[in-house]
Amino acid sequence: MTYTPDRPPLRFVPPPGWPTPTPEWVARNQGWQPPAGWTPPLRRPVYAAPPEWQFWAPEPAHWTPFRATFTSGITSALTWGSIILAIGVLFGVTAIASGDHSFFGMTALFFVFGGIRLATGLSARATVERRVREAIRTAAPVVRHDVDSWAYRAYLDATAGERAQTGRPPMHFDEFGFARDAAGWGAGAESAILAPMRWTAPVVTPKPPMIRTSLRIALLVMIGLILLVALPGLVQSALGG
């Protein structure tokens, strides 16, 4: 799961005295935690961030839809778990009321699978914030590389004439990335060239959450076990009739 550069799910929270970096810098460095004592490359000195400073906070307009891809399966798991447990309760009440012990096996199956679905949903809900943050940190280097690759080609085209006249070699790709970082704070000799550059947002195809896949598997297994338990009784009743 990733995000598009024009819709970063986190916003940068600058410490006291720091300027706000450009949207390009924010999109390329989502979730990056500056080391202790680090300061941005500015023309004027600034103090380092206070200890335990939280550099990133959700960007409401983009955070909510990004987070929703992780919570949709949770709602489904909790709903189906509750439904399956409710069916198990009905089977249990029927077994007690009728005295037919064959219903107890069905009751146990529904309770087991309903409990599994509920436990899965509750566990996923308890860890959703951590998983969202991890997904952002994992996706950020990929987005950064895609954005810088596009911008690097534009940089080569924009400086081709000047480099042909002066014989100056182009920056290496990594050097170009560092220069873009500096330009994000308004510093760097190449900021006049780098700052106006934009990107084309990559096409993102979200993968279906694993929780949905596990739900389908669990339901298929449950149906199979129900048939395994109920079918012999039905066949026996039919033959006896």
Side-chain angles (χ1 to χ4, degrees):
M1 182 62 195
T2 186
Y3 59 89
T4 55
D6 57 336
R7 297 180 62 84
L10 298 176
R11 62 181 178 86
F12 187 78
V13 182
W18 289 27
T20 301
T22 62
E24 289 89 344
W25 188 94
V26 172
R28 294 169 61 251
N29 293 279
Q30 285 281 290
W32 177 65
Q33 186 68 21
W38 184 87
T39 57
L42 301 172
R43 293 184 175 88
R44 58 179 178 83
V46 294
Y47 291 105
E52 307 300 327
W53 182 263
Q54 299 297 318
F55 287 93
W56 299 94
E59 179 66 54
H62 305 156
W63 172 267
T64 300
F66 184 83
R67 185 180 182 275
T69 60
F70 292 82
T71 58
S72 59
I74 296 175
T75 302
S76 177
L78 294 176
T79 301
W80 277 103
S82 300
I83 292 174
I84 294 171
L85 279 179
I87 295 174
V89 171
L90 291 177
F91 270 102
V93 171
T94 302
I96 295 173
S98 64
D100 187 350
H101 296 288
S102 63
F103 282 102
F104 284 113
M106 304 287 287
T107 301
L109 285 175
F110 278 103
F111 268 97
V112 168
F113 283 99
I116 291 175
R117 295 313 305 154
L118 273 180
T120 302
L122 291 173
S123 174
R125 186 171 65 178
T127 60
V128 65
E129 299 298 329
R130 175 179 58 80
R131 291 186 292 112
V132 171
R133 297 273 182 167
E134 288 178 353
I136 293 173
R137 285 193 292 268
T138 301
V142 178
V143 173
R144 178 186 176 97
H145 183 272
D146 291 344
V147 169
D148 285 358
S149 295
W150 182 90
Y152 187 64
R153 291 192 295 271
Y155 156 75
L156 293 177
D157 292 340
T159 60
E162 177 190 353
R163 288 186 287 105
Q165 293 178 358
T166 62
R168 186 182 66 171
M171 288 186 288
H172 294 293
F173 182 76
D174 290 340
E175 182 185 3
F176 176 80
F178 295 143
R180 280 177 63 80
D181 283 332
W185 295 95
E190 299 289 342
S191 60
I193 296 176
L194 300 176
M197 293 186 179
R198 294 296 183 267
W199 53 75
T200 54
V203 177
V204 179
T205 304
K207 296 182 179 180
M210 289 299 296
I211 194 170
R212 294 181 182 176
T213 303
S214 62
L215 173 61
R216 296 189 184 100
I217 295 174
L219 288 176
L220 289 175
V221 172
M222 184 186 70
I223 293 172
L225 290 176
I226 290 174
L227 292 175
L228 185 64
V229 172
L231 193 58
L234 294 175
V235 172
Q236 184 177 2
S237 299
L239 293 177

